[in-house]
Amino acid sequence: MTDGHRGLAPGGSGPRGDGTDRAAGADRADVFAGPADDSGFPAPPRPTSRDVARAAGVSQATVSLVLGDKWRGRVSPRTADLVRDTARSLGYRPNLAARNLRLGRTRTALLVVPALTNEFFARVYTGAAAVAEQHGFGVVIYPSPDGTGPAKDPFASARAALDGVIASSMATTALSALHGSGLPLVMLDSDPSDADAAAHVNLAIGDGFRQIAEHLLALGHRRFLHLAPAVDSWTFDVRARALASALSAVPGATARTVRAPFSVDAAREAAHRALTAPGPRPTAVVCDGDILAAGACKAARRLGLRVPEDLSITGFDDLALATAVEPELTTVKLPAEQVGERGMHALLAVLGGRAPAQDDLPVRLVVRESTGPAPAI
């Protein structure tokens, strides 16, 4: 292994055997001056990979390896950091068109999400885009027209426009339009047994619901209402099973499940019906999202029930909404940005022929004012 200061081993296409002429050729478009500024004089020429190599004291081939993310095993981490820092300080930007033509890649990933209006998916995009930028990739975000599916192919030829697809909280069957493209598919928060995906990135979703159940059971709650989305999805099935399993271990603990569209108003109406149904009223409402929990809080208020004195309510996600409502929501914090980061890393690993990480991302219960001891009724 070499640190790259003297270029690649002999045998390359350049005069020094390190491929620098080819790298320079790919970068040659960068040496021309930019358009004239307001004074009428040409703008200063953009810095080139040759400038980066000179300033960093390495070969141009080393610069190409590092900025093309092909340096591992050929350039030391210290040198790679030096090259990246030098490129940043000089304001160097690779000639992407030339590089993409040479590599046969667009360096573009498609992120498919159920909705653009949900803060969770915005955070997933933020994480994916941050990692993508570090590796010279771009991320195009695309909402599935019908929520969890099916998603249409947004491009006439996905294979020509993309290097891979990342899909969050969906089934691979919802992505049938992309199956024939041959593109690697990374699934986030989705069934890990689905063999159509090249990689999976999941949260410890079941553990999140276990933490909620244990918290409420410790407060003395035994009658639960589970407010779930009216969506057929692996992630919501996992949550329901985890809640049922936790309650089954405690004598006298019961849960009734009601479903509602994923909106505050729909959740309010569903919770209102459930809380006014015949029989003993639940003392705790476990919601499959902070949005549903906000609806449950509105239903409780309109019925004259105090939260948490008369009714405890929990959310899931820890969106900004969780601290915007009164009382603030006890909820499970999901590291959405890390999901996006891990998803992009997984796609890069697949594209590079490496095995992506397999462990689930941990989640954490955040206890706030919406939960309290069960009322004596």
Side-chain angles (χ1 to χ4, degrees):
M1 184 172 75
T2 176
D3 68 1
H5 280 276
R6 301 186 185 277
L8 302 178
S13 61
R16 298 183 304 182
D18 64 3
T20 53
D21 276 6
R22 181 170 52 201
D27 192 52
R28 195 164 291 137
D30 287 350
V31 305
F32 296 109
D37 58 23
D38 291 341
S39 68
F41 291 98
R46 293 169 55 188
T48 69
S49 61
R50 193 187 305 276
D51 297 325
V52 176
R54 186 180 301 114
V58 300
S59 73
Q60 197 170 353
T62 297
V63 172
S64 295
L65 285 172
V66 172
L67 299 185
D69 199 34
K70 293 185 175 182
W71 60 271
R72 292 171 182 81
R74 306 167 79 178
V75 176
S76 71
R78 180 180 61 82
T79 300
D81 288 340
L82 172 64
V83 170
R84 284 191 290 261
D85 290 343
T86 303
R88 266 194 299 271
S89 67
L90 293 177
Y92 171 73
R93 293 292 183 271
N95 184 335
L96 294 179
R99 183 174 66 179
N100 293 343
L101 183 63
R102 183 176 76 252
L103 297 176
R105 285 185 175 176
T106 65
R107 302 188 76 82
T108 303
L110 178 70
L111 173 63
V112 184
V113 298
L116 290 178
T117 54
N118 190 306
E119 178 188 333
F120 176 82
F121 300 116
R123 291 180 180 177
V124 169
Y125 170 79
T126 298
V131 172
E133 183 181 14
Q134 295 169 5
H135 294 82
F137 268 70
V139 178
V140 178
I141 189 167
Y142 179 70
S144 171
D146 299 313
T148 56
K152 298 177 182 178
D153 181 355
F155 300 103
S157 175
R159 186 60 176 147
L162 303 167
D163 285 331
V165 180
I166 305 170
S168 181
S169 309
M170 304 175 72
T172 57
T173 54
L175 302 166
S176 57
L178 296 170
H179 282 176
S181 66
L183 292 168
L185 173 62
V186 174
M187 299 299 297
L188 314 180
D189 190 27
S190 302
D191 188 351
S193 67
D194 196 329
D196 287 332
H200 291 271
V201 174
N202 279 323
L203 297 148
I205 291 293
D207 183 61
F209 258 65
R210 178 195 60 77
Q211 293 179 51
I212 288 174
E214 290 182 354
H215 169 65
L216 292 171
L217 288 167
L219 291 171
H221 294 277
R222 296 296 181 269
R223 296 195 302 275
F224 292 78
L225 171 65
H226 179 201
L227 187 52
V231 174
D232 185 15
S233 170
W234 171 85
T235 186
F236 297 129
D237 290 344
V238 169
R239 302 174 196 199
R241 289 197 298 268
L243 178 61
S245 176
L247 299 188
S248 68
V250 178
T254 60
R256 176 190 173 196
T257 299
V258 297
R259 297 185 179 275
F262 217 88
S263 73
V264 173
D265 286 343
R268 174 184 55 77
E269 294 173 2
H272 187 281
R273 289 193 299 270
L275 293 172
T276 56
R281 189 177 67 233
T283 64
V285 183
V286 178
C287 301
D288 265 319
D290 297 340
I291 292 173
L292 299 180
C297 288
K298 293 187 74 171
R301 188 179 306 111
R302 294 188 182 188
L303 289 170
L305 299 174
R306 299 167 301 162
V307 178
E309 292 83 359
D310 302 319
L311 185 70
S312 287
I313 298 175
T314 63
F316 207 85
D317 291 335
D318 199 26
L319 307 178
L321 177 64
T323 54
V325 298
E326 286 289 349
E328 294 186 358
L329 283 174
T330 291
T331 187
V332 170
K333 185 176 185 62
L334 304 184
E337 289 192 22
Q338 284 184 255
V339 173
E341 292 169 0
R342 182 76 69 87
M344 192 66 213
H345 277 304
L347 179 58
L348 291 169
V350 171
L351 291 172
R354 305 186 305 277
Q358 299 292 329
D359 57 309
D360 290 348
L361 290 167
V363 301
R364 176 172 60 88
L365 178 68
V366 180
V367 178
R368 298 193 181 100
E369 292 79 20
S370 69
T371 53
I377 57 173

